[in-house]
Amino acid sequence: MEENTFTTVIEVLGTIAFAISGIRLSAAKSFDWFGAYVVGFVTAIGGGTLRDVLIGQPVFWMVSWLYVAVTGLALVAVITFRQVLVKGFRTLFLFDAIGLALFVVVGIEKTLAAGFPMWVAVIMGMITGSFGGIVRDILIRELPLFFRKDIYATACLAGGIVYWLIVTTGLGTIVAEIVCATTVIGLRVLANRFGWSLPILQIDPDALPDDGHPEKTVRKRHF
């Protein structure tokens, strides 16, 4: 019972953090209040929705009004404290990193509770943490962080593996959750501080045949 309550608290905190990150980006794009709420809500519930569908569980925000209300509170917070929350990259980065970390933990916990093995839980933790951000970036017409060279999904994966290792050593679920979240946030912060990134997949377009590069083929036909 205590573990379920702890997981719910983490999920609510993650919802607040991710909702604020989505609403903050919407404000930067000059969305109206309703549009900002929608983006914030989708950011907060996107990953968890996909997770619950995949593991065959009731979608979490459809069984409680709490997450709809919490997103509304996040909108009020951004409107009220817009000078602090809207300006500056660091604020967005902070809330995004916190939401990412907390949702990775929730994704792992709920997948394990549904009876799936740990390797599935690690993948679901990554999906829970990152999918909402993907939908958010698509809605505001930005290239999703998930597909950039940033340490984003990789941080989720690393946190999940750390969770797995700690549980294997028998240190307990609470310790695993804390260290997992710390790992995700720590990697995001360090990657931003020191410019860490994954290698970019680069291919020379001139080395491809015409039928292997659609843009090149179209360009030739055009001229």
Side-chain angles (χ1 to χ4, degrees), residues 49-69:
T49 299
L50 181 58
R51 173 204 65 221
D52 290 343
V53 170
L54 290 175
I55 66 176
Q57 296 295 311
V59 178
F60 73 104
W61 62 269
M62 298 178 71
V63 297
S64 173
W65 56 267
L66 183 61
Y67 305 97
V68 176

Side-chain angles (χ1 to χ4, degrees), residues 30-86:
S30 300
F31 282 38
D32 63 23
W33 288 9
F34 179 74
Y37 176 88
V38 170
V39 173
F41 185 64
V42 169
T43 304
I45 61 94
T49 299
L50 181 58
R51 173 204 65 221
D52 290 343
V53 170
L54 290 175
I55 66 176
Q57 296 295 311
V59 178
F60 73 104
W61 62 269
M62 298 178 71
V63 297
S64 173
W65 56 267
L66 183 61
Y67 305 97
V68 176
V70 163
T71 304
L73 291 176
L75 176 61
V76 172
V78 173
I79 294 172
T80 305
F81 304 104
R82 68 180 67 188
Q83 296 300 321
V84 176
L85 296 178
V86 174

Side-chain angles (χ1 to χ4, degrees), residues 22-216:
I23 293 168
R24 188 268 184 203
L25 278 176
S26 300
K29 295 285 186 176
S30 300
F31 282 38
D32 63 23
W33 288 9
F34 179 74
Y37 176 88
V38 170
V39 173
F41 185 64
V42 169
T43 304
I45 61 94
T49 299
L50 181 58
R51 173 204 65 221
D52 290 343
V53 170
L54 290 175
I55 66 176
Q57 296 295 311
V59 178
F60 73 104
W61 62 269
M62 298 178 71
V63 297
S64 173
W65 56 267
L66 183 61
Y67 305 97
V68 176
V70 163
T71 304
L73 291 176
L75 176 61
V76 172
V78 173
I79 294 172
T80 305
F81 304 104
R82 68 180 67 188
Q83 296 300 321
V84 176
L85 296 178
V86 174
K87 291 185 177 180
F89 171 77
R90 290 183 178 179
T91 304
L92 168 65
F93 180 83
L94 174 64
F95 283 104
D96 189 75
I98 293 173
L100 188 69
L102 295 178
F103 274 138
V104 169
V105 172
V106 171
I108 293 173
E109 286 291 315
K110 290 200 168 185
T111 305
L112 291 175
F116 289 88
M118 182 63 78
W119 67 270
V120 176
V122 171
I123 294 174
M124 287 300 164
M126 182 171 63
I127 289 174
T128 306
S130 59
F131 189 74
I134 293 175
V135 179
R136 174 199 65 202
D137 291 344
I138 291 173
L139 288 176
I140 65 172
R141 303 182 69 178
E142 293 283 348
L143 179 65
L145 281 173
F146 187 91
F147 301 119
R148 300 183 207 173
K149 62 180 182 178
D150 299 58
I151 303 298
Y152 194 80
T154 312
C156 298
L157 182 61
I161 293 173
V162 168
Y163 183 103
W164 190 347
L165 293 175
I166 291 178
V167 169
T168 301
T169 61
L171 292 178
T173 302
I174 302 297
V175 175
E177 291 174 341
I178 294 173
V179 179
C180 171
T182 303
T183 300
V184 176
I185 295 174
L187 283 175
R188 289 288 290 140
V189 171
L190 291 174
N192 180 66
R193 174 66 177 81
F194 297 105
W196 295 348
S197 63
L198 296 177
I200 298 175
L201 181 61
Q202 293 181 327
I203 300 176
D204 182 5
D206 294 329
L208 292 174
D210 290 349
D211 59 352
H213 196 278
E215 291 183 2
K216 185 176 179 182

